[in-house]
Amino acid sequence: MNLEDLLKELQALIDKYSADDAEPTDEDAARMAELTKSINEIRAQQTATAQTRAATVAAARAAIENGTARRVDAVPLARSANVVGVGNAYDVTDYDAAATRAWVKDVAERSGVQLVGGTALTDVERAAQNHLIEQRAEFTHTTGNTDSIIPVEIQSQIISLIDNTAVLYGDIHRSNLSGQFEISRHVSITKGDAAKTDEGAAPTDVEQNEYDVITLTGEEIKKTVEMSRKMAVQSLSGFQQYIIDEVSARLAVACNAFSHTRLADTTLGMAAANKIETAKANAIAKSDITGMLSKLKTFGNPAAKGVIIYANNDTIWNYIAMIEDANNRSYFVNESTDDPTVQGRIFGKLVKCDDSIADGVIKAGYPDLFHGNLFDGPDVTPYVAPRSQKRCFDGYVLFDGGLVVPQAFAQLTIKTA
């Protein structure tokens, strides 16, 4: 029985004997004593519960006010006085957006940028920022914890913009392992490649593959974005977009250039035999392109994107697009796609414009067989340059990679003499 039922029964017994002042029977007296005891116990329990709840609420309010409250995404509030009868209620605060605003305000304050509306954090933004720092401390083991952790939302936007503008880097296969990263390179099939056999017969020879394993620890890539003091008055949304756009643009150039450096590396890059020159100086022929393409191998490794040809704008339009057949028709087909780096096709292969490649150099290969790993980043560190008062933002990534098949890429250089 609940408290209300107990009170009703006790009141009924009292009313039974109050009219004629008669003494209750032994049985009714015992029942009245039992009811009184149960009612007192329930009221004592309710008082203790109310005191505990009041203390919890007071502690939570104090934590919110002093900025030590932990983030809570879904708190049932069904028993709260302000939601009695409406079912379960939940905290629907967008903590991700609050964390983003907190990070942008923190970067602005540390770099001396005056945001319209100021850089003071609200209680929600401070709580979201503290939660972000706690997550980093709990789950990140390879990067030092700082008081300014870039939100996932901004990090994802920077990564997306880098992929859309860094041509080769945007095409390659990438992982996000925080620890050791190994590349198992398929160097060659030394014996027993697939061959025709009679029905039901075993292979005539067992395939033997040559592999080597290379452990990568990552290379630091940094690029700085500068903003003059005169420019240092921004709206919060405008400042956030400025950081995203400028940092991604700088890192895109650096990451793409580094990927090409790895292609040229004697250990992690393409095989030496896959680097060839044109037959004639200052000219390119069909046989030069087909000769480069004939060097490419996958050794059965999956390469969904197929072969892509990379060259800069000058090389594409002054050389590749000028290769003609016997009837003076160009083998190059101008083709517009959603990817602005695609300039067309030749012999069925996409041709992409890549400014990281020098004049007179053409590279072709399977970008899926370039395996890279983004160990850390992108990250953004703000500071003010002394004397010049420029507001600086260092973009940072820790990246490394290489070809899993050295014959997966080839390079054609146009001879100059």
Side-chain angles (χ1 to χ4, degrees), residues 177 179-184 213-216 371 373 375 404:
L177 302 176
Q180 179 174 295
F181 179 70
E182 293 182 341
I183 291 182
S184 178
V213 178
I214 300 172
T215 300
L216 302 178
H371 285 197
N373 188 67
F375 294 88
V404 296

Side-chain angles (χ1 to χ4, degrees), residues 67-396:
T68 60
R70 292 175 61 89
R71 166 179 169 173
V72 180
D73 294 317
V75 183
L77 303 174
R79 290 188 298 175
S80 297
N82 60 335
V83 290
V84 170
V86 301
N88 287 337
Y90 295 92
D91 179 1
V92 294
T93 303
D94 189 345
Y95 284 100
D96 290 335
T100 299
R101 292 194 304 271
W103 181 82
V104 173
K105 287 182 177 180
D106 182 67
V107 169
E109 185 174 34
R110 292 167 65 188
S111 56
V113 174
Q114 303 175 45
L115 293 180
V116 176
T119 57
L121 300 183
T122 65
D123 289 341
V124 171
E125 290 168 351
R126 187 177 293 106
Q129 185 183 53
N130 290 338
H131 177 69
L132 199 66
I133 294 172
E134 289 175 6
Q135 280 187 316
R136 182 64 166 262
E138 183 175 357
F139 296 111
T140 301
H141 309 291
T142 60
T143 303
N145 301 310
T146 69
D147 58 352
S148 179
I149 311 302
I150 184 169
V152 173
E153 176 192 354
I154 290 180
Q155 199 171 59
S156 298
Q157 289 183 58
I158 292 175
I159 290 174
S160 177
L161 286 172
I162 291 175
D163 286 346
N164 289 334
T165 53
V167 187
L168 176 61
Y169 179 83
D171 286 341
I172 65 175
H173 172 84
R174 269 202 321 273
S175 304
N176 293 89
L177 302 176
S178 58
Q180 179 174 295
F181 179 70
E182 293 182 341
I183 291 182
S184 178
R185 287 164 54 88
H186 194 163
V187 179
S188 65
I189 299 176
T190 56
K191 184 180 179 183
D193 200 355
K196 178 181 176 297
T197 65
D198 294 332
E199 182 179 354
T204 56
D205 205 351
V206 178
E207 180 175 307
Q208 296 180 13
N209 295 281
E210 182 183 353
Y211 288 91
D212 59 10
V213 178
I214 300 172
T215 300
L216 302 178
T217 57
E219 297 290 338
E220 293 189 318
I221 300 174
K222 308 183 189 78
K223 293 296 285 186
T224 300
V225 174
E226 293 183 346
M227 173 192 287
S228 69
R229 180 170 181 173
K230 189 176 181 180
M231 294 173 59
V233 178
Q234 300 271 346
S235 66
L236 188 143
S237 59
F239 181 58
Q240 175 180 324
Q241 199 58 48
Y242 173 86
I243 293 175
I244 293 171
D245 291 343
E246 295 300 318
V247 169
S248 62
R250 301 295 188 276
L251 286 178
V253 173
C255 290
N256 201 59
F258 180 76
S259 299
H260 281 286
T261 299
R262 277 291 183 255
L263 274 186
D265 188 88
T266 54
T267 302
L268 294 166
M270 66 185 79
N274 279 28
K275 299 177 182 178
I276 60 176
E277 290 186 332
T278 57
K280 298 180 180 180
N282 300 314
I284 189 170
K286 174 185 176 182
S287 58
D288 295 319
I289 296 291
T290 56
M292 173 181 63
L293 295 176
S294 70
K295 297 282 186 181
L296 302 177
K297 292 180 173 64
T298 67
F299 294 135
N301 291 278
K305 294 186 182 73
V307 174
I308 298 177
I309 297 173
Y310 302 90
N312 68 19
N313 204 50
D314 177 83
T315 305
I316 291 173
W317 296 107
N318 287 322
Y319 290 97
I320 297 177
M322 301 303 292
I323 302 174
E324 298 177 338
D325 62 15
N327 297 316
N328 297 323
R329 292 177 298 189
S330 177
Y331 287 105
F332 179 81
V333 178
N334 186 15
E335 180 179 296
S336 297
T337 70
D338 293 336
D339 185 349
T341 66
V342 174
Q343 304 300 296
R345 290 179 182 268
I346 188 167
F347 306 132
K349 313 302 182 187
L350 284 177
V351 178
K352 289 192 173 186
C353 181
D354 191 332
D355 291 335
S356 294
I357 302 178
D359 289 347
V361 175
I362 303 169
K363 298 179 182 180
Y366 297 93
D368 292 304
L369 300 186
F370 187 119
H371 285 197
N373 188 67
L374 191 60
F375 294 88
D376 187 29
D379 204 354
V380 180
T381 303
Y383 61 94
V384 179
R387 300 181 65 184
S388 69
Q389 290 295 302
K390 289 182 178 178
R391 276 55 181 162
C392 302
F393 310 94
D394 279 354
Y396 172 93

